[in-house]
Amino acid sequence: MNERIRTRIHVEGIVQGVGFRPFVHALASTYGLAGLVGNDHGGVFIEAEGPPAAVTALVQALRDRPPTLAVIERVSLTPIPPTGARAFTIAPSVTGAPAHALIPPDVATCDACLAELFDPADRRHRYPFVNCTGCGPRFTIILALPYDRDTTTMAGFPLCDRCAREYRDPRDRRFHAQPICCPACGPTLTLRAPDGTALPGDPLTQAATLLATGAIVAVKGLGGYHLAADATDHTAVTTLRTRKRRTGKPFAVMAADLPAVRELCDLDDTSARLLSGRRRPIVLLPRRAAAPVAPSVAPGTRELGVALPYTPLHHLLCRELTHPYVLTSGNSSGEPIAHDDEDARRRLGGIADAFLSHDRPIHAPVDDSVMRVFDGAPLPIRRARGYAPEPLRLPWPFPLPVLACGAQQKSTFCLAQGNRAILSQHLGDLEDYRTLRAYTTELGRLRRLTGIEPALVAHDLHPEYLSTKYALSLDGVDTIGVQHHHAHIVSCLAEHGEPGPVIGVAFDGTGHGGDGTVWGGELLVADLATFDRAGHLEQVPMPGGATAVRQPWRMAAAFLHAAREPAHGLDVLARNPAAWQAVSAVLAAGGPAAPLTSSAGRLFDAVSALAGICDRAGYEGQAAVELEQRADRTVRDGYPVTVTPGPPVVITSTDLIRAVAADLRGGVATGVIAARFHHGLAEAVTAAVRLVADATGLGTVALSGGVFANTLLLGGITERLRRHGFRVLTHHRVPCNDGGLSLGQAVAAAAQTTRT
């Protein structure tokens, strides 16, 4: 009747920084157990003593109903002798061993903290740093593990007596909340001029006043600085574009709540859940025709990227302002996001009119995540704040620790060990020293926090990518190159836990092919370790190489040349008369100045330029994005395309160009042409997949690559393939673009190593 046991329990997963110790303390109290709980290098350790049924109930609760923010991967049990203890305590964290605990992402402000924020009677009324065990900064403030206040950037803010009492009280929701603070002991908000001079008045009120009068304000968020402007003020937004050197790429806006979002956009249930959940990404939504935002916010698109407030500071700004405001990354075009205060003043001083900042340091810079919704589920475009560095658990163990270095654009890296793959936050484009330095700094930080020391390093095959050069510069590791489009398909397989083989359709802008050409419109028969190129888009020359990426009209010239279609009478020639003859000469000569490509991205560029939508791209993928946005969604017919059986199967993309040119000469509307192009390409891809399936017997198709951020094409292909009985895998956890490539590299490299 009075039998007592004591069990040592070790819990692994995301269990630090999520209120797990207070949760265990409360469970122990409920079940009348003695013992202790604490953090260590690998997770949470527990010793539970009491009746066997009570210990069993505690273990079952750990597995079945952990805290909302926790992710349980493993619970290990070891019987130990009872000690006769009668109390349950939170023990000091165990330090000294190499860390391999998982790091929680940052979490949006919870409802309980929001209630305090706007309660005039609460001591944290209008305090921009209110948080508790269920919300607030995590990854961006963690210096080391185990997770305790002295291993975060809150270490410099000693608790006042009232906060200390809350921290020690098991009945308080701030029990062992490491970022806990209040106006008496926590960070302080300031408003300063670009030269660092403090501006008079309440910082928050004055910042809102500046925004309302057309100023640009740099705002320090969770993972870095943003640049804010009144989204209804065309002059202010245009000024921000000029100063930031961001000519055409749409800005995201922040709205106060879901009703405010509905004034701007059409909102489905999945998008509403994404917007209001704890991760709070930017979500791309169909914009209402009468949405009260300046046309300069999102030119060339019928969508709007919208976010809801995710920090107390953002909530306060939304309360002060009566309409949405632009909130875009604090950087100049092509640079990493600014997060250090002094660096931000240097880099943003010529952009912002004022700085709304604070003295809590940001240790890890993290940009906003961006999502679309497809097929009732998230379609990640950028995976960062709220998601990273949450790991993906895979069904296959990595035989040795792996680092995958990603690509050049939308760079991420991946650290993998055991069954975990930890994908870094989005780090930007690796085009200069500053971005490479941010990349290597974050890689070093995550290696220290995870304790993963790679023995195998995977990289792209492109020799000039800075990520490739970095990988090949490392000493004491084995390196392995992974073909770009194979990595895309494997990233899709990995997030679904599928080993393959599948028919992989990899459509993107560019990737180093295995035959000396530029790939980007590929049909692969692939598993985790190997692939065969079963088909591709028709190859055409790229006049000027990388210059053609920035000048889509060149690809229009190239496709017309390949189609033997005269440019005479087409507006694209009239808009670019000076250089057309020179480009035509390059195309006629061929050779290194016009490398061959099968890129789907370049095909979209050509059609966009032909249709008069985008001749010169101000950002990656602009021509394709604006082509999709111009498509008339009421049009259902598509251009006919010849698909040659092969092998390899070849999709004759010049058929699309001839049809576009004919419609242009016939005066057909741009929206109809854009729609017919999308539907024609979707039908051709489906026909090509069916030919490959006939030859291989495969019935599963994986769609990956940046072109599949285009939901019109993605939906068209998916619908057609399903109609023909195929099982279709698409991305829902990692980006289909190069932001997810490092996951595919890591899994492919490990599979190749295992196979050999």
Side-chain angles (χ1 to χ4, degrees):
M1 291 289 294
N2 297 320
E3 180 189 2
R4 289 172 66 87
I5 64 170
R6 191 175 181 96
T7 301
R8 179 177 292 126
I9 306 164
H10 197 260
V11 188
E12 297 176 58
I14 300 180
V15 291
Q16 296 190 20
V18 295
F20 206 86
R21 289 175 294 178
F23 168 75
V24 173
H25 191 283
L27 281 179
S29 177
T30 298
Y31 296 125
L33 295 169
L36 53 85
V37 60
N39 286 341
D40 64 15
H41 61 283
V44 169
F45 63 90
I46 304 165
E47 293 186 11
E49 182 169 338
V55 173
T56 299
L58 180 140
V59 171
Q60 199 64 39
L62 296 176
R63 289 178 168 144
D64 294 347
R65 47 186 178 89
T68 303
L69 304 181
V71 177
I72 307 301
E73 290 194 347
R74 183 162 56 185
V75 179
S76 306
L77 309 178
T78 306
I80 57 176
T83 66
R86 296 296 170 183
F88 196 93
T89 62
I90 293 184
S93 295
V94 175
T95 60
H100 61 267
L102 300 180
I103 307 137
D106 300 278
V107 186
T109 308
C110 69
D111 290 343
C113 284
L114 279 181
E116 294 176 344
L117 183 69
F118 293 114
D119 181 359
D122 193 276
R123 72 188 185 94
R124 293 185 174 90
H125 178 232
R126 288 178 58 84
Y127 182 57
F129 308 99
V130 57
N131 67 84
C132 68
T133 55
C135 70
R138 295 294 191 271
F139 175 50
T140 53
I141 65 168
I142 292 174
L143 304 172
L145 293 172
Y147 175 67
D148 287 300
R149 191 179 183 90
D150 62 359
T151 58
T152 73
T153 61
M154 290 298 295
F157 299 94
L159 293 174
C160 67
D161 290 343
R162 296 178 74 178
C163 285
R165 283 196 297 272
E166 293 171 334
Y167 183 85
R168 294 192 298 265
D169 185 353
R171 299 163 299 179
D172 197 288
R173 79 174 197 281
R174 293 189 169 90
F175 183 44
H176 273 255
Q178 304 310 327
I180 180 178
C181 57
C182 74
C185 63
T188 302
L189 197 65
T190 60
L191 183 68
R192 299 183 181 276
D195 64 3
T197 304
L199 298 177
D202 174 69
L204 191 73
T205 303
Q206 292 303 111
T209 299
L210 286 171
L211 288 170
T213 55
I216 297 164
V217 178
V219 181
K220 188 177 181 182
L222 271 179
Y225 278 82
H226 289 89
L227 293 164
D230 183 347
T232 67
D233 187 334
H234 178 69
T235 300
V237 177
T238 302
T239 300
L240 175 56
R241 286 198 175 280
T242 301
R243 294 181 185 177
K244 187 177 161 73
R245 302 197 302 274
R246 181 163 163 169
T247 55
K249 192 173 185 180
F251 286 137
V253 301
M254 181 161 280
D257 49 29
L258 289 177
V261 175
R262 289 190 176 94
E263 292 182 9
L264 302 173
C265 301
D266 296 330
L267 186 61
D268 62 273
D269 291 343
T270 304
S271 297
R273 286 192 296 270
L274 272 175
L275 282 167
S276 57
R278 71 175 188 264
R279 302 180 190 272
R280 297 285 170 109
I282 296 167
V283 180
L284 302 179
L285 298 169
R287 180 170 47 181
R288 289 185 178 275
V293 295
S296 49
V297 169
T301 174
R302 292 182 293 197
E303 290 184 328
L304 197 60
V306 185
L308 292 183
Y310 54 87
T311 72
L313 177 57
H314 294 126
H315 280 282
L316 289 165
L317 273 176
C318 283
R319 185 66 65 94
E320 291 283 334
L321 297 165
T322 58
H323 38 68
Y325 56 97
V326 166
L327 201 67
T328 186
S329 304
N331 54 13
S332 291
S333 182
E335 294 181 351
I337 188 170
H339 70 284
D340 175 79
D341 296 331
E342 289 301 320
D343 180 55
R345 275 194 285 274
R346 283 193 301 269
R347 290 167 52 195
L348 305 181
I351 303 175
D353 299 304
F355 286 73
L356 184 61
S357 187
H358 56 79
D359 53 350
R360 182 181 70 203
I362 296 170
H363 191 57
V366 182
D367 216 327
D368 291 321
S369 295
V370 181
M371 299 281 165
R372 295 182 88 168
V373 169
F374 172 73
D375 210 17
L379 177 67
I381 306 300
R382 186 167 72 197
R383 186 179 183 271
R385 177 189 50 77
Y387 295 85
E390 187 174 308
L392 285 84
R393 190 166 179 84
L394 304 178
W396 332 280
F398 288 86
L400 68 174
V402 177
L403 162 65
C405 293
Q408 187 87 338
Q409 304 294 317
K410 298 177 174 61
S411 67
T412 62
F413 59 82
C414 182
L415 287 165
Q417 184 169 268
N419 287 83
R420 297 171 181 160
I422 300 173
L423 195 66
S424 77
Q425 69 271 37
H426 164 86
L427 294 166
D429 298 339
L430 291 179
E431 294 178 342
D432 59 22
Y433 169 73
R434 180 177 281 149
T435 313
L436 180 61
R437 184 176 61 185
Y439 173 96
T440 56
T441 298
E442 287 311 300
L443 176 53
R445 189 194 322 277
L446 209 55
R447 282 176 64 173
R448 290 191 299 273
L449 287 173
T450 61
I452 296 175
E453 290 299 325
L456 177 66
V457 176
H459 59 83
D460 195 89
L461 295 182
H462 199 300
E464 294 305 312
Y465 282 180
L466 294 183
S467 57
T468 300
K469 292 181 177 181
Y470 173 79
L472 297 176
S473 73
L474 298 175
D475 295 325
V477 296
D478 292 328
T479 58
I480 184 168
V482 179
Q483 201 280 326
H484 190 92
H485 301 95
H486 183 219
H488 271 310
I489 299 304
V490 174
S491 73
C492 189
L493 291 175
E495 73 162 80
H496 286 276
E498 296 269 352
V502 297
I503 301 170
V505 182
F507 276 17
D508 63 2
T510 184
H512 197 74
D515 60 355
T517 67
V518 179
W519 291 9
E522 310 309 312
L523 279 77
L524 309 179
V525 173
D527 58 19
L528 301 181
T530 64
F531 75 93
D532 289 317
R533 192 188 194 197
H536 56 81
L537 294 181
E538 181 182 5
Q539 292 183 315
V540 300
M542 279 178 67
T547 304
V549 179
R550 299 186 293 273
Q551 298 178 13
W553 71 268
R554 288 174 174 258
M555 291 311 304
F559 272 94
L560 289 171
H561 174 84
R564 294 181 172 83
E565 180 73 29
H568 181 71
L570 297 175
D571 288 346
V572 66
L573 172 58
R575 294 191 305 271
N576 301 278
W580 195 275
Q581 187 173 355
V583 166
S584 297
V586 169
L587 291 167
L596 290 177
T597 183
S598 58
S599 166
R602 302 292 76 80
L603 173 61
F604 272 81
D605 287 351
V607 175
S608 186
L610 281 170
I613 296 171
C614 181
D615 279 356
R616 288 167 178 77
Y619 61 91
E620 186 197 9
Q622 179 178 355
V625 167
E626 294 184 356
L627 180 66
E628 178 195 5
Q629 293 300 312
R630 292 289 292 274
D632 185 337
R633 301 303 172 108
T634 67
V635 173
R636 292 289 180 265
D637 63 306
Y639 297 128
V641 181
T642 302
V643 180
T644 305
V649 174
V650 176
I651 298 171
T652 310
S653 46
T654 48
D655 285 351
L656 291 163
I657 299 302
R658 294 185 191 96
V660 168
D663 269 358
L664 285 169
R665 291 189 172 103
V668 175
T670 301
V672 174
I673 291 172
R676 287 175 174 171
F677 164 73
H678 278 84
H679 294 313
L681 181 57
E683 191 65 43
V685 170
T686 303
V689 167
R690 293 179 68 191
L691 287 170
V692 176
D694 289 343
T696 61
L698 295 174
T700 299
V701 182
L703 306 178
S704 190
V707 167
F708 287 118
N710 179 326
T711 53
L712 179 57
L713 182 68
L714 179 63
I717 294 175
T718 300
E719 178 186 348
R720 287 169 172 83
L721 288 173
R722 287 174 177 167
R723 197 186 305 148
H724 287 288
F726 289 97
R727 178 167 168 259
V728 183
L729 306 179
T730 60
H731 285 274
H732 296 297
R733 300 182 66 192
V734 302
C736 60
N737 57 42
D738 284 2
L741 196 79
S742 61
L743 172 65
Q745 289 175 340
V747 173
Q752 291 173 29
T753 301
T754 304
R755 182 162 295 188
T756 56

PDB file of all heavy atoms in Angstrom, residues 532-536 644-650 691-692 695-696:
ATOM      1  N   ASP A 532      18.323   9.928 -62.042  1.00  0.00           N
ATOM      2  CA  ASP A 532      18.533   9.916 -63.482  1.00  0.00           C
ATOM      3  C   ASP A 532      17.725  11.061 -64.071  1.00  0.00           C
ATOM      4  O   ASP A 532      16.581  11.302 -63.664  1.00  0.00           O
ATOM      5  CB  ASP A 532      18.066   8.595 -64.102  1.00  0.00           C
ATOM      6  CG  ASP A 532      18.982   7.440 -63.743  1.00  0.00           C
ATOM      7  OD1 ASP A 532      20.218   7.634 -63.779  1.00  0.00           O
ATOM      8  OD2 ASP A 532      18.459   6.350 -63.418  1.00  0.00           O
ATOM      9  N   ARG A 533      18.306  11.745 -65.047  1.00  0.00           N
ATOM     10  CA  ARG A 533      17.598  12.830 -65.719  1.00  0.00           C
ATOM     11  C   ARG A 533      16.701  12.217 -66.792  1.00  0.00           C
ATOM     12  O   ARG A 533      17.135  11.883 -67.873  1.00  0.00           O
ATOM     13  CB  ARG A 533      18.602  13.810 -66.326  1.00  0.00           C
ATOM     14  CG  ARG A 533      17.976  15.126 -66.789  1.00  0.00           C
ATOM     15  CD  ARG A 533      18.966  15.967 -67.546  1.00  0.00           C
ATOM     16  NE  ARG A 533      18.524  17.352 -67.711  1.00  0.00           N
ATOM     17  CZ  ARG A 533      19.049  18.188 -68.597  1.00  0.00           C
ATOM     18  NH1 ARG A 533      20.027  17.779 -69.406  1.00  0.00           N
ATOM     19  NH2 ARG A 533      18.602  19.427 -68.681  1.00  0.00           N
ATOM     20  N   ALA A 534      15.414  12.109 -66.454  1.00  0.00           N
ATOM     21  CA  ALA A 534      14.476  11.432 -67.344  1.00  0.00           C
ATOM     22  C   ALA A 534      13.862  12.368 -68.366  1.00  0.00           C
ATOM     23  O   ALA A 534      13.296  11.913 -69.367  1.00  0.00           O
ATOM     24  CB  ALA A 534      13.366  10.780 -66.523  1.00  0.00           C
ATOM     25  N   GLY A 535      13.944  13.677 -68.120  1.00  0.00           N
ATOM     26  CA  GLY A 535      13.365  14.631 -69.045  1.00  0.00           C
ATOM     27  C   GLY A 535      13.695  16.047 -68.641  1.00  0.00           C
ATOM     28  O   GLY A 535      14.246  16.293 -67.557  1.00  0.00           O
ATOM     29  N   HIS A 536      13.360  16.988 -69.530  1.00  0.00           N
ATOM     30  CA  HIS A 536      13.645  18.382 -69.234  1.00  0.00           C
ATOM     31  C   HIS A 536      12.927  19.282 -70.219  1.00  0.00           C
ATOM     32  O   HIS A 536      12.426  18.828 -71.265  1.00  0.00           O
ATOM     33  CB  HIS A 536      15.153  18.660 -69.262  1.00  0.00           C
ATOM     34  CG  HIS A 536      15.830  18.282 -70.545  1.00  0.00           C
ATOM     35  ND1 HIS A 536      15.819  19.069 -71.677  1.00  0.00           N
ATOM     36  CD2 HIS A 536      16.541  17.160 -70.882  1.00  0.00           C
ATOM     37  CE1 HIS A 536      16.493  18.478 -72.644  1.00  0.00           C
ATOM     38  NE2 HIS A 536      16.945  17.311 -72.198  1.00  0.00           N
ATOM     39  N   THR A 644       8.086  15.324 -76.490  1.00  0.00           N
ATOM     40  CA  THR A 644       8.777  14.250 -77.212  1.00  0.00           C
ATOM     41  C   THR A 644       9.123  13.121 -76.248  1.00  0.00           C
ATOM     42  O   THR A 644       9.733  13.367 -75.189  1.00  0.00           O
ATOM     43  CB  THR A 644      10.067  14.793 -77.859  1.00  0.00           C
ATOM     44  OG1 THR A 644       9.732  15.919 -78.682  1.00  0.00           O
ATOM     45  CG2 THR A 644      10.741  13.728 -78.689  1.00  0.00           C
ATOM     46  N   PRO A 645       8.757  11.856 -76.585  1.00  0.00           N
ATOM     47  CA  PRO A 645       8.946  10.762 -75.630  1.00  0.00           C
ATOM     48  C   PRO A 645      10.385  10.516 -75.200  1.00  0.00           C
ATOM     49  O   PRO A 645      10.654  10.138 -74.077  1.00  0.00           O
ATOM     50  CB  PRO A 645       8.369   9.549 -76.374  1.00  0.00           C
ATOM     51  CG  PRO A 645       7.424  10.127 -77.363  1.00  0.00           C
ATOM     52  CD  PRO A 645       8.034  11.437 -77.780  1.00  0.00           C
ATOM     53  N   GLY A 646      11.354  10.703 -76.092  1.00  0.00           N
ATOM     54  CA  GLY A 646      12.737  10.468 -75.684  1.00  0.00           C
ATOM     55  C   GLY A 646      13.087   8.993 -75.641  1.00  0.00           C
ATOM     56  O   GLY A 646      12.503   8.204 -76.372  1.00  0.00           O
ATOM     57  N   PRO A 647      14.004   8.530 -74.753  1.00  0.00           N
ATOM     58  CA  PRO A 647      14.551   9.345 -73.658  1.00  0.00           C
ATOM     59  C   PRO A 647      15.694  10.266 -74.119  1.00  0.00           C
ATOM     60  O   PRO A 647      16.370   9.926 -75.075  1.00  0.00           O
ATOM     61  CB  PRO A 647      15.081   8.285 -72.696  1.00  0.00           C
ATOM     62  CG  PRO A 647      15.453   7.099 -73.570  1.00  0.00           C
ATOM     63  CD  PRO A 647      14.479   7.136 -74.715  1.00  0.00           C
ATOM     64  N   PRO A 648      15.873  11.410 -73.387  1.00  0.00           N
ATOM     65  CA  PRO A 648      14.977  11.895 -72.338  1.00  0.00           C
ATOM     66  C   PRO A 648      13.715  12.528 -72.931  1.00  0.00           C
ATOM     67  O   PRO A 648      13.710  12.975 -74.083  1.00  0.00           O
ATOM     68  CB  PRO A 648      15.831  12.940 -71.634  1.00  0.00           C
ATOM     69  CG  PRO A 648      16.705  13.486 -72.726  1.00  0.00           C
ATOM     70  CD  PRO A 648      17.025  12.312 -73.606  1.00  0.00           C
ATOM     71  N   VAL A 649      12.656  12.582 -72.121  1.00  0.00           N
ATOM     72  CA  VAL A 649      11.444  13.297 -72.508  1.00  0.00           C
ATOM     73  C   VAL A 649      11.779  14.781 -72.610  1.00  0.00           C
ATOM     74  O   VAL A 649      12.464  15.336 -71.745  1.00  0.00           O
ATOM     75  CB  VAL A 649      10.339  13.077 -71.459  1.00  0.00           C
ATOM     76  CG1 VAL A 649       9.124  13.942 -71.764  1.00  0.00           C
ATOM     77  CG2 VAL A 649       9.954  11.607 -71.386  1.00  0.00           C
ATOM     78  N   VAL A 650      11.315  15.434 -73.673  1.00  0.00           N
ATOM     79  CA  VAL A 650      11.588  16.862 -73.856  1.00  0.00           C
ATOM     80  C   VAL A 650      10.276  17.610 -74.045  1.00  0.00           C
ATOM     81  O   VAL A 650       9.465  17.255 -74.903  1.00  0.00           O
ATOM     82  CB  VAL A 650      12.532  17.124 -75.051  1.00  0.00           C
ATOM     83  CG1 VAL A 650      12.710  18.632 -75.265  1.00  0.00           C
ATOM     84  CG2 VAL A 650      13.880  16.461 -74.828  1.00  0.00           C
ATOM     85  N   LEU A 691       4.658  10.062 -69.384  1.00  0.00           N
ATOM     86  CA  LEU A 691       5.600   9.300 -70.208  1.00  0.00           C
ATOM     87  C   LEU A 691       6.686   8.650 -69.346  1.00  0.00           C
ATOM     88  O   LEU A 691       7.047   7.487 -69.561  1.00  0.00           O
ATOM     89  CB  LEU A 691       6.235  10.218 -71.254  1.00  0.00           C
ATOM     90  CG  LEU A 691       5.332  10.647 -72.420  1.00  0.00           C
ATOM     91  CD1 LEU A 691       6.011  11.740 -73.242  1.00  0.00           C
ATOM     92  CD2 LEU A 691       4.983   9.446 -73.301  1.00  0.00           C
ATOM     93  N   VAL A 692       7.186   9.390 -68.386  1.00  0.00           N
ATOM     94  CA  VAL A 692       8.206   8.830 -67.491  1.00  0.00           C
ATOM     95  C   VAL A 692       7.607   7.711 -66.649  1.00  0.00           C
ATOM     96  O   VAL A 692       8.239   6.672 -66.412  1.00  0.00           O
ATOM     97  CB  VAL A 692       8.804   9.935 -66.595  1.00  0.00           C
ATOM     98  CG1 VAL A 692       9.793   9.340 -65.593  1.00  0.00           C
ATOM     99  CG2 VAL A 692       9.496  11.000 -67.444  1.00  0.00           C
ATOM    100  N   ALA A 695       7.392   4.505 -68.458  1.00  0.00           N
ATOM    101  CA  ALA A 695       8.690   3.846 -68.628  1.00  0.00           C
ATOM    102  C   ALA A 695       9.225   3.252 -67.329  1.00  0.00           C
ATOM    103  O   ALA A 695      10.046   2.332 -67.366  1.00  0.00           O
ATOM    104  CB  ALA A 695       9.705   4.847 -69.187  1.00  0.00           C
ATOM    105  N   THR A 696       8.774   3.779 -66.181  1.00  0.00           N
ATOM    106  CA  THR A 696       9.359   3.364 -64.897  1.00  0.00           C
ATOM    107  C   THR A 696       8.394   2.645 -63.971  1.00  0.00           C
ATOM    108  O   THR A 696       8.824   1.971 -63.032  1.00  0.00           O
ATOM    109  CB  THR A 696       9.889   4.596 -64.145  1.00  0.00           C
ATOM    110  OG1 THR A 696       8.785   5.494 -63.874  1.00  0.00           O
ATOM    111  CG2 THR A 696      10.957   5.322 -64.954  1.00  0.00           C
TER     112      THR A 696
END
